[in-house]
Amino acid sequence: MNKTKRRSAIIVVLTSVLLLGVLALATGIASAESAKEELAAAEIQAVIVEIDEHVLELIEGTMAIHNNTEQIADNETLDEDLRAKAEEVHVASHELLYIAEDIQELVDELGDLGKDPASNKAEMGEAIDKIKEHMGDYTEALEANHDLVDDILSTVPETHKAYAEATQDAMYELESTVEEIEEDIDELQGLLEDGAAEIQETVEELSEYASQLKRLARRMSKPAHAIPGEIGGKIHDQFHRIESVVYIIHENVDELEELVEEHEKNKEEMRELVVEEIFEQLSRRELGKLVKEMYDLVDEALDVDGEDAQKLQDLLDELEPVKDDALEQIKEIAAMLQDPIVWEYPKLRGISDPRRLANGNTLMSECYADRVIEVSPDKNVVWEYTEVVYPTHNQRLENGNTLIADKGNKRIIEVSPDKNVVWEYSEGLENPYGARRLANGNTLIVDADDPGRIIEVTPDKEIVWEYSGDSKGLLWPPLAQRLENGNTLICDNGNHRMIEVTGDKEIVWEYNKLKGPWGGQGLAN
């Protein structure tokens, strides 16, 4: 064979091999895509089956309300007003049943469409929207009869109490079933969406925890209302506090789910909702605190009504880890929504008043470690002062010294770079939380007590200005700032406000839509 023929044969072989490789690759990709589609279809069908099961529970629960209220409404020996209420709920159960049956038809339709979700995605979306609309109608009708069912139970005679209790139990179960259907619908929508963002998935997980919290709070209602006596009254009140916060969390998470659909557009609104609302509601300051207090009350109640108190304790034991999981989720979401961290100094104990200095270093008070430190950009401690107890505020002065609010020792000190105290003020201070050296050489000091006060002290330690509040007083003020116009901006923590006060002690500006403010600063604008 000559070179030309040999070259042609090699080209033919190589081309054949390449074609086979491309075909194999294409087949592999097609197989992978096919497997992926089959998996998605299988997941979708599984969720639809779950929805269908819950809808059957909806119908069964509605029938339970229908049948049990009928036993009360049709008995002519009972009080007329009681029978009228039972009849009203009985009539409403017909409407609930019609809605549930409409939902079931749509779920059946979803089952057929879900066999080929890729081709029927639009139609499935329409069916889901209709189900959501019907679920809204069902929830509205259910809630409209909630108080009536409670009234019936509180007034029904013993002969028919079992029917009233069965009606109330069915009502509670239906509320939980509605929540489960809504969760399944959200999951189904997520499966129908292509490539859901990580933040959206995390929000969906948070939504599950919020729903669990709501269900657990609802289950707490019965035992919380059953414990007698003074301790029972306290538990009843505490339950409603927990219920209120849980419902607010659930509403805020619902809002977050709506915002996350266009999370780039709504990023700032989401950040505020996550960091300033939901995080606070889940933290030790709100829900965590309420749960702890409820545990203490339940401990007292175990001797009064052991059975119901134990039920409450068991439910609190279920609620606690769900709350903690939700808090972890909200921290993750908060991290996703924040701007990227460009510098960090970790493992601090009670950081307060961090300040970036002109040299690029960072000055901060580490309260629990009883020290003030200056840290370089490469995270080396280049200056440290430790002769303090629970230092709060600090300020690097133009002369190179550092002004420190030494709260634990009830004094304000000025410390030189070689750590000598060159000025100190302590007279009459109870809780010195903040200090700022003013342009005139005086020092503005915050004595954060109840009542609190702001004083301006000369280098000779004379008080030349003092403010202790208006008719509301000044409660636990942690911070004050002398503005360029000569007024003083004050954080009035206990009265939940920021105020601007003139030299004549008149309030010329106030912002009071706050909850426990712990700082503030007038900006150049």
Side-chain angles (χ1 to χ4, degrees), residues 9 109 143 171 180 268 292 308 324 350 385 431:
E109 182 185 335
E143 288 177 350
M171 181 79 78
E180 287 166 348
E268 183 55 30
K292 183 180 181 301
D308 287 305
D324 292 342
Y385 187 74
N431 195 28

Side-chain angles (χ1 to χ4, degrees), residues 449 452 467-470 472-479 489-499 507 510-511 514 516-519:
D449 215 335
Y467 182 77
S468 55
D470 57 358
K472 294 181 179 179
L474 195 61
L475 305 179
W476 306 107
L479 186 74
L489 185 69
I490 301 169
C491 177
D492 187 3
N493 173 273
N495 288 313
H496 308 297
R497 61 181 181 167
M498 294 292 299
I499 54 175
I507 296 175
E510 178 176 345
Y511 186 78
L514 299 167
W518 206 252

Side-chain angles (χ1 to χ4, degrees), residues 145-358:
N145 289 275
H146 205 293
D147 291 342
L148 275 174
V149 171
D150 290 343
D151 288 345
I152 291 167
L153 182 60
S154 65
T155 56
V156 72
E158 278 301 322
T159 55
H160 287 70
K161 195 161 191 177
Y163 298 120
E165 286 179 342
T167 301
Q168 189 186 59
D169 289 344
M171 181 79 78
Y172 284 135
E173 286 299 324
L174 284 170
E175 287 172 347
S176 292
T177 302
V178 165
E179 294 281 344
E180 287 166 348
I181 292 172
E182 287 173 348
E183 285 180 34
D184 290 339
I185 287 294
D186 288 341
E187 184 181 352
L188 184 60
Q189 279 189 311
L191 289 169
L192 289 170
E193 291 173 4
D194 295 325
E198 183 183 1
I199 189 168
Q200 192 157 4
E201 292 174 5
T202 313
V203 170
E204 286 170 3
E205 289 178 35
L206 174 66
S207 177
E208 291 177 15
Y209 291 130
S211 295
Q212 286 180 48
L213 287 173
K214 192 174 177 182
R215 285 199 294 274
L216 286 164
R218 187 177 290 124
R219 286 169 58 195
M220 287 172 65
S221 176
K222 211 169 180 180
H225 287 79
I227 296 170
E230 184 181 349
I231 188 65
K234 291 179 180 179
I235 284 174
H236 172 267
D237 292 341
Q238 189 72 1
F239 160 71
H240 283 298
R241 293 187 192 102
I242 290 173
E243 181 186 45
S244 176
V245 173
V246 165
Y247 273 66
I248 291 168
I249 290 168
H250 194 272
E251 287 172 9
N252 282 336
V253 172
D254 281 347
E255 183 182 348
L256 186 63
E257 283 194 290
E258 291 177 13
L259 293 171
V260 80
E261 291 176 7
E262 296 183 82
H263 68 276
E264 285 301 324
K265 176 184 172 185
N266 300 324
K267 190 172 181 180
E268 183 55 30
E269 196 174 347
M270 287 173 65
R271 191 200 66 76
E272 290 177 8
L273 186 62
V274 166
V275 177
E276 298 173 19
E277 296 288 337
I278 305 174
F279 176 79
E280 287 295 317
Q281 289 151 5
L282 283 165
S283 70
R284 288 181 301 175
R285 295 180 187 178
E286 288 208 36
L287 186 57
K289 180 173 178 285
L290 292 172
V291 169
K292 183 180 181 301
E293 290 170 352
M294 182 64 111
Y295 266 120
D296 293 340
L297 291 172
V298 168
D299 281 343
E300 288 184 50
L302 284 168
D303 294 333
V304 177
D305 184 341
E307 184 179 349
D308 287 305
Q310 187 59 54
K311 285 179 185 176
L312 269 178
Q313 192 171 67
D314 292 344
L315 287 167
L316 287 170
D317 289 343
E318 285 186 56
L319 189 144
E320 184 83 14
V322 176
K323 171 187 67 67
D324 292 342
D325 288 340
L327 188 57
E328 287 305 310
Q329 290 297 113
I330 210 68
K331 286 178 182 176
E332 281 187 37
I333 295 167
M336 294 176 193
L337 292 171
Q338 304 297 331
D339 290 330
I341 296 171
V342 296
W343 187 81
E344 176 184 19
Y345 191 77
K347 297 181 181 178
L348 290 163
R349 295 169 58 203
I351 182 67
S352 175
D353 201 25
R355 294 181 164 270
R356 183 59 50 84
L357 304 178

Side-chain angles (χ1 to χ4, degrees), residues 6-25:
R6 212 168 34 243
R7 196 177 292 115
S8 298
I10 290 168
I11 290 169
V12 169
V13 171
L14 285 173
T15 304
S16 301
V17 170
L18 286 170
L19 284 170
L20 284 169
V22 170
L23 181 61
L25 181 61

